[in-house]
C-alpha cells in the first residue's frame, strides 16, 4: 500500500500556530478515518486556518517520524494529533501516553479545555496502538526541547448524521482554546 503524505499550509497568518494530524484507515471495513473526516468538516466549515498533516500511515515507526519531521519544519506552538476510536461516542482528549511502563502527560489544562463541551471528555487511556505511540513520541520530543510547545491527542468517534455537527462544534471550540494558549 502506498501512503501519501502532505502538509497543507494556510494562507492565513494569525492561526498558523497549530499543526493538526490525522491517520488513514487500517481495517478493510473502514471507508474512511473519522479523525480525518472531522478534520475535513472543520476545513470546510471554518476554512483553511492551520497546518495539516493528513493520511498518516497507521505505522508505529513511520507516523511518529513523519509528525516530528513536520513539526521541526514548521515549529507550531501546538501539535494536535487526531485518531479514530470506533467504540467511543465523544471526542476524547487524552491526558497521557504510556510506552514500556513509562508515562508522559500533556501539559495542557484539560479541565479548562473541555469545560462546557458536552461531546468531549477527558480520557486517561490512549490505548496501546499507533495513536498511543504517536502521542508518546510527540510528547517525548517536545519535552526534550524544554520549550513552550504543547501537544494533545484527540480520539474521534465514527461520525454519523446524529453526532457530526456537535462533534465538529466541540472540535472547533477546542482548537480556538488551544490557539489562545
Amino acid at each position: 500500500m502506498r501512503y501519501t503524505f502532505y502538509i497543507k499550509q494556510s494562507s492565513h497568518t494569525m492561526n498558523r500556530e497549530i499543526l493538526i494530524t490525522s491517520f488513514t484507515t487500517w481495517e478493510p471495513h473502514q471507508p474512511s478515518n473519522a479523525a480525518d473526516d472531522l478534520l475535513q468538516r472543520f476545513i470546510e466549515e471554518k476554512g483553511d486556518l492551520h497546518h495539516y498533516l493528513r493520511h498518516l500511515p497507521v505505522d508505529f515507526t513511520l507516523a511518529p517520524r513523519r509528525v516530528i519531521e513536520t513539526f521541526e519544519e514548521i515549529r507550531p506552538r501546538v501539535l494536535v494529533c487526531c485518531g479514530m476510536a470506533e467504540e467511543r461516542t465523544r471526542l476524547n482528549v487524552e491526558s497521557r501516553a504510556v510506552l514500556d511502563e513509562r508515562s508522559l502527560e500533556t501539559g495542557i489544562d484539560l479541565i479548562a479545555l473541555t469545560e462546557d463541551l458536552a461531546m468531549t471528555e477527558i480520557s486517561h487511556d490512549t490505548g496501546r496502538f499507533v495513536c498511543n505511540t504517536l502521542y508518546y513520541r510527540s510528547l517525548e520530543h517536545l519535552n526534550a526541547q524544554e520549550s513552550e510547545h504543547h501537544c494533545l491527542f484527540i480520539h474521534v468517534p465514527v461520525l454519523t448524521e446524529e453526532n457530526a455537527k456537535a462533534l465538529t462544534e466541540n472540535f472547533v471550540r477546542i482548537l480556538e482554546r488551544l490557539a489562545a494558549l
Side-chain angles (χ1 to χ4, degrees), residues 7 15-22 50-54 56 63-72 74-82 93-94 106-108 110 113 131 133-143 145 147-154 171 174-175 178-179 181:
I7 182 166
N15 290 327
R16 292 179 58 196
E17 297 296 321
I18 299 176
L19 169 61
I20 309 169
T21 73
S22 65
H50 304 288
H51 296 281
Y52 306 98
L53 179 60
R54 298 174 63 187
L56 289 167
R65 181 182 312 144
R66 184 63 182 136
V67 169
I68 291 168
E69 286 171 356
T70 303
F71 176 85
E72 286 301 317
I74 62 175
R75 303 289 298 169
R77 281 189 323 102
V78 182
L79 170 60
V80 178
C81 301
C82 300
V93 293
E94 300 294 346
T106 184
I108 297 169
L110 298 182
L113 184 70
C131 295
T133 301
L134 173 59
Y135 197 23
Y136 187 91
R137 294 294 181 215
S138 297
L139 288 167
E140 180 181 57
H141 181 75
L142 294 180
N143 287 347
Q145 296 185 7
S147 65
E148 292 298 316
H149 299 281
H150 301 282
C151 182
L152 180 65
F153 197 98
I154 302 175
F171 188 68
I174 290 168
L175 292 178
L178 290 172
L181 286 176

Side-chain angles (χ1 to χ4, degrees), residues 162-175:
E162 294 78 28
N163 71 10
K165 184 175 191 271
L167 290 171
T168 303
E169 289 171 356
N170 276 217
F171 188 68
V172 167
R173 299 273 307 277
I174 290 168
L175 292 178

